[in-house]
Amino acid sequence: METLDSLFYGFSVALQWENLIFVFIGVLAGTIIGMLPGLGPVSAIAIMIPITFGMNPASALILMAGVYYGAIFGGSTSSILLNAPGVAGTVATSFDGYPLAKRGQAGKALAIAAYSSFVGGTVSIFGLMLIAPLLAKFAVSFGPAEYFALMVLGLTAVVSLSDKSLVKGLIAAVVGVMISIIGIDLQTGTLRYTFGVSQLYEGIEFLIVALGIFALAEVFVMLVNGGQKQNQHHIGSLKLNKREVKEMGPPVIRSSVLGFFTGVLPGAGATIASFLGYSVEKRIAKDGDTFGKGNVKGVAAPEAANNAACSGSFVPLLTLGVPGSGTTAVLLGALLIMGVSPGPLMFQDRPDVFWGVIASMYIGNIFLLLLNLPLIPLFAKILEIPRAMLLSLIIVFCMIGVYGLSFSLFDLGLLLGFGLLGFGMRMYGFPAAPLILALILGDIMEKSMRQALQISQGDWMVFIHKPISVTLLGLALLSLFIPVINKMIKRKQKANIEMKA
């Protein structure tokens, strides 16, 4: 009953006319941004941060959450039509969606993606509503040592899931921690990494780094790849027959549950969830050999999983204050800028933000379905926006956002510097998520570690004396070593196969 009462309170917040408008704007903007290849939800949310300045935190998070799940929802369009995923979480959708489009069934593939995304998003909102309060009650017992261990786990989990190289993920995380401690140490008065530059005494604003690493870097990447031409396809019919609906039902339910629990894990996210959903369905399907050739289950499973993971990633963010992905890391930064600290006490301190966002997700999912089905042919034309206009808009948003912070030209220089850093990282395969996560968690980790050491009078054993913290630190070590062990096993298996050959 308590949960239902809280949910009704959330709906009273989400159904306010201004919040309904923000939900609509968020999912519409997210859908459009998700459709544009290369411009993912992280960049979109980073661009949104300056727009949310001065807004009520509940309305701001409702808007940005709408952009997030709208981008995941919309990313399937470019995956299916162009084989160019708008976001990483929809890469698996292109495996069967694009072959369907080539057969003249793009409309059907887009409709399957829309229905599956709606079911996945709705199932995961129920999970978020039921699991988040239980997790928050448990998290209240956390002290500084447990929080430090939790932050370490969140960071190592993201690093371990770095696309290509664990070492590059670790390097990116170290750079993020170094950026987070730039400025005056308020406890000791020591200047750290300021190099005598007075503008760095107060540290570097999160927004400058986020806009540079994601949005401006994306501009540079688009400029480099500017000569690529886009293909266009006939949309076709959106109708599904009974056999297709019956065929996609079980995979959608299974992938929704799988995607939600994948999203709950710190470090996992929509991309991992979509690939898991796709691979599971391919393994258990009787017609698994047709996956990759236009199987409707190959579109339904990853779409349900990635949208479920999107809502699932809000569980660790809102209840523990630990972002589970690069996108939720940017959301965490935005909340901190607005003076809202996500964590176990958020239920009591800011119920309007917590329950308002959950209720808005129900409304947002309905908006997405109503928007996407009838407007799919129209949205497809947005893919034809001139690249020069798109790049100009991103640059203007970035500059206004950063200059509005402090009216400082030095900060604009920093923005350019971080843009070049982000571009270099993209070119040489360094993941940006560990850097941005370390930037956010670095300061919190340092404070928690200092508090724990002060309480224990400088005894470092405080981190392994408490069962929760030692368990979390153990999981952090496992998350780092398991990928290494897996690689060693695969190399050994490959060597054995080559020897037998």
Side-chain angles (χ1 to χ4, degrees), residues 333-405:
L335 284 172
L336 293 175
I337 289 173
M338 288 181 276
V340 177
S341 300
L345 296 178
M346 194 171 177
F347 290 86
Q348 301 165 15
D349 296 342
R350 297 308 301 257
D352 57 326
V353 177
F354 184 86
W355 290 106
V357 169
I358 289 181
S360 75
M361 288 179 175
Y362 284 101
I363 301 165
N365 266 291
I366 295 169
F367 277 163
L368 278 173
L369 196 64
L370 295 176
L371 267 175
N372 277 266
L373 284 178
L375 297 180
I376 280 172
L378 181 64
F379 282 158
K381 292 188 180 296
I382 294 169
L383 298 172
E384 300 167 10
I385 286 180
R387 193 165 289 253
M389 185 183 293
L390 180 64
L391 298 184
S392 304
L393 284 172
I394 296 172
I395 292 171
V396 168
F397 270 119
C398 290
M399 292 183 70
I400 290 174
V402 170
Y403 193 70
L405 276 177

Side-chain angles (χ1 to χ4, degrees), residues 40 66 89 105 136 145 151 157 167 180 218 234-235 265 301 315 322 324 338 340 357 377 382 390 412 433 462 466:
Q105 296 178 305
M151 300 299 158
V167 175
S180 75
E218 197 64 55
H234 180 60
I235 297 293
L265 297 174
V315 174
V322 177
M338 288 181 276
V340 177
V357 169
I382 294 169
L390 180 64
L412 289 178
V462 66
K466 296 189 175 182

Side-chain angles (χ1 to χ4, degrees), residues 71-312:
I72 299 293
F73 199 102
S76 58
T77 303
S78 53
S79 290
I80 291 167
L81 293 177
L82 304 174
N83 199 26
V87 295
T90 59
V91 171
T93 307
S94 65
F95 297 164
D96 282 274
Y98 190 60
L100 278 171
K102 286 201 293 187
R103 294 202 315 236
Q105 296 178 305
K108 187 168 285 187
L110 289 168
I112 292 169
Y115 290 128
S116 306
S117 299
F118 175 75
V119 176
T122 306
V123 168
S124 69
I125 294 166
F126 275 107
L128 174 62
M129 188 179 73
L130 296 174
I131 287 180
L134 297 176
L135 194 60
K137 283 179 184 173
F138 171 69
V140 171
S141 60
F142 277 34
E146 287 84 356
Y147 257 107
F148 172 75
L150 184 64
M151 300 299 158
V152 173
L153 173 61
L155 194 55
T156 54
V158 170
V159 169
S160 67
L161 291 172
S162 300
D163 294 338
K164 294 175 183 173
S165 167
L166 182 66
V167 175
K168 288 181 178 177
L170 282 170
I171 292 172
V174 170
V175 172
V177 171
M178 290 172 71
I179 296 170
S180 75
I181 61 175
I182 288 176
I184 300 175
D185 178 3
L186 295 177
Q187 199 162 19
T188 63
T190 308
L191 291 172
R192 302 188 292 195
Y193 299 121
T194 57
F195 305 104
V197 180
S198 59
Q199 289 92 337
L200 292 176
Y201 286 0
E202 294 183 2
I204 297 177
E205 290 285 348
F206 163 79
L207 182 65
I208 299 172
V209 184
L211 285 176
I213 293 289
F214 291 111
L216 205 57
E218 197 64 55
V219 171
F220 295 144
V221 172
M222 286 185 184
L223 285 172
V224 170
N225 300 326
Q228 293 181 357
K229 291 184 178 178
Q230 298 175 343
N231 299 320
Q232 294 178 26
H233 297 280
H234 180 60
I235 297 293
S237 170
L238 304 178
K239 292 182 180 176
L240 302 178
N241 58 43
K242 286 183 181 177
R243 183 186 60 80
E244 288 164 340
V245 173
K246 191 176 176 183
E247 199 175 349
M248 62 183 269
V252 167
I253 299 298
R254 281 193 293 266
S255 299
S256 298
V257 176
L258 178 67
F260 172 72
F261 284 105
T262 307
V264 168
L265 297 174
T271 308
I272 305 290
S274 63
F275 277 100
L276 275 177
Y278 185 85
S279 58
V280 166
E281 290 306 322
K282 185 177 178 180
R283 288 189 182 194
I284 65 175
K286 290 179 182 175
D287 55 349
D289 57 326
T290 62
F291 274 61
K293 299 172 184 173
N295 192 313
V296 295
K297 289 179 281 189
V299 178
E303 276 302 298
N306 63 26
N307 277 274
C310 177
S311 300

Side-chain angles (χ1 to χ4, degrees), residues 142 146-147 149-150 152-153 467-477:
F142 277 34
E146 287 84 356
Y147 257 107
L150 184 64
V152 173
L153 173 61
I468 296 176
S469 63
V470 74
T471 304
L472 293 171
L473 288 173
L475 289 172
L477 276 176

